[in-house]
Amino acid sequence: AQSVTQLGSHVSVSEGALVLLRCNYSSSVPPYLFWYVQYPNQGLQLLLKYTSAATLVKGINGFEAEFKKSETSFHLTKPSAHMSDAAEYFCAVSGSRGDQKLVFGTGTRLLVSP
Amino acid sequence: ETGVTQSPTHLIKTRGQQVTLRCSSQSGHNTVSWYQQALGQGPQFIFQYYREEENGRGNFPPRFSGLQFPNYSSELNVNALELDDSALYLCASSLTGTTNEKLFFGSGTQLSVL
C-alpha cells in the first residue's frame, strides 16, 4: 500500500522568497510521485511527476522536486515565490507507471504575502 | 482549461436521497476516474472506468456506483445519502495505453447533504 504525508497544512512566504513544500512517502513498491496544484473553485492541475527517469524533476511554473529514496521524500521547491503561486498543493503517489489510482496527501496551503 | 466538464457545479440534497453527478471527458480519452475531496482533505479515489468497465475501486461502499458511456462520458451515483457524503466530487479523464498518461481534472461538483 502507498501513502504520502505532507508536513504543514499551511506555509507562508513572502513574494520572492524560496518555496519549500514537504512530502514524505511510504510505498511497498518503487513509487511514482506527483505534485498537483488546486486553485480556488478549480480542479487539480499536474505540476510535475517522478517516474524513475531522473531524481530531479522540473515542472511547470518554475517548480521542481527531488526524489530522495534514502529520506523517502519528494519535496517541492521554487526559488522565488510569486503572488500567483498562492494555492493548495497536493502530493500524490501511485504504485505503477500509468496507474491513475492516486493516493493523495492532505494538502498544503501556500500563502504568499507582498 | 482541461476540457473536462462536470455538472452540476453545486448541489444540495437531504439525507437519504439519491444523487447523480455527470462528467464529460476530454475528447479522445478512454478512462475516467472519480475522487471525493472532503473539506480540508486530499482527494480520495472512488473508482475508475476504462472502456465502460469498472477498473478499480477505492474504499467506498456499494451505494457509490458509476457508469461510463460509449462516448466516454460518465456518471457517479450515490444512493441513501449520508451527511458525510458532503464533499467536492472530482472527475478526471485520461488516455490509457499511451506512454505519457496524465489525469485531467474537472472543476468538480460541490455536494452538500443536509
Side-chain angles (χ1 to χ4, degrees):
Chain A
Q2 292 87 36
S3 67
V4 290
T5 301
Q6 292 184 242
L7 301 177
S9 58
H10 292 80
V11 169
S12 295
V13 300
S14 299
E15 193 172 21
L18 171 71
V19 175
L20 171 60
L21 304 183
R22 300 178 186 273
C23 173
N24 287 89
Y25 70 89
S26 173
S27 179
S28 56
V29 297
Y32 291 84
L33 294 158
F34 307 80
W35 275 99
Y36 281 85
V37 62
Q38 186 175 35
Y39 297 100
N41 301 315
Q42 294 188 28
L44 298 162
Q45 180 183 9
L46 180 66
L47 279 175
L48 49 81
K49 63 180 179 181
Y50 166 75
T51 57
S52 77
T55 57
L56 182 62
V57 183
K58 294 188 183 296
I60 62 172
N61 302 338
F63 285 93
E64 63 180 35
E66 186 172 8
F67 174 74
K68 292 186 177 181
K69 184 178 179 180
S70 61
E71 299 177 7
T72 62
S73 69
F74 190 58
H75 301 331
L76 182 71
T77 60
K78 182 174 180 178
S80 177
H82 192 272
M83 296 294 289
S84 61
D85 294 327
E88 188 90 22
Y89 291 80
F90 292 94
C91 181
V93 64
S94 73
S96 63
R97 188 186 188 103
D99 183 358
Q100 304 294 349
K101 308 173 190 73
L102 302 181
V103 176
F104 285 87
T106 53
T108 297
R109 181 165 297 278
L110 177 64
L111 306 170
V112 183
S113 56
Chain B
E1 188 66 37
T2 65
V4 179
T5 57
Q6 294 187 241
S7 61
T9 55
H10 295 81
L11 199 54
I12 299 175
K13 291 286 189 178
T14 56
R15 194 170 48 184
Q17 285 189 313
Q18 179 267 343
V19 69
T20 297
L21 310 181
R22 294 180 174 82
C23 172
S24 178
S25 299
Q26 185 172 85
S27 178
H29 283 185
N30 55 17
T31 301
V32 64
S33 305
W34 284 91
Y35 287 81
Q36 180 197 65
Q37 186 178 11
L39 189 63
Q41 300 296 317
Q44 276 195 290
F45 175 73
I46 303 175
F47 44 56
Q48 180 184 87
Y49 280 79
Y50 170 62
R51 292 186 174 178
E52 303 177 57
E53 297 287 331
E54 189 177 287
N55 182 39
R57 189 179 184 91
N59 188 27
F60 281 82
R63 59 191 185 83
F64 284 78
S65 63
L67 282 173
Q68 186 184 29
F69 300 101
N71 66 356
Y72 301 129
S73 64
S74 176
E75 286 182 356
L76 164 64
N77 298 288
V78 187
N79 293 322
L81 284 166
E82 300 178 359
L83 298 179
D84 286 348
D85 295 334
S86 295
L88 179 68
Y89 288 84
L90 295 166
C91 163
S93 74
S94 58
L95 181 59
T96 297
T98 63
T99 58
N100 189 26
E101 295 181 28
K102 175 181 171 181
L103 286 176
F104 291 82
F105 282 86
S107 298
T109 294
Q110 185 66 54
L111 173 65
S112 298
V113 182
L114 306 177

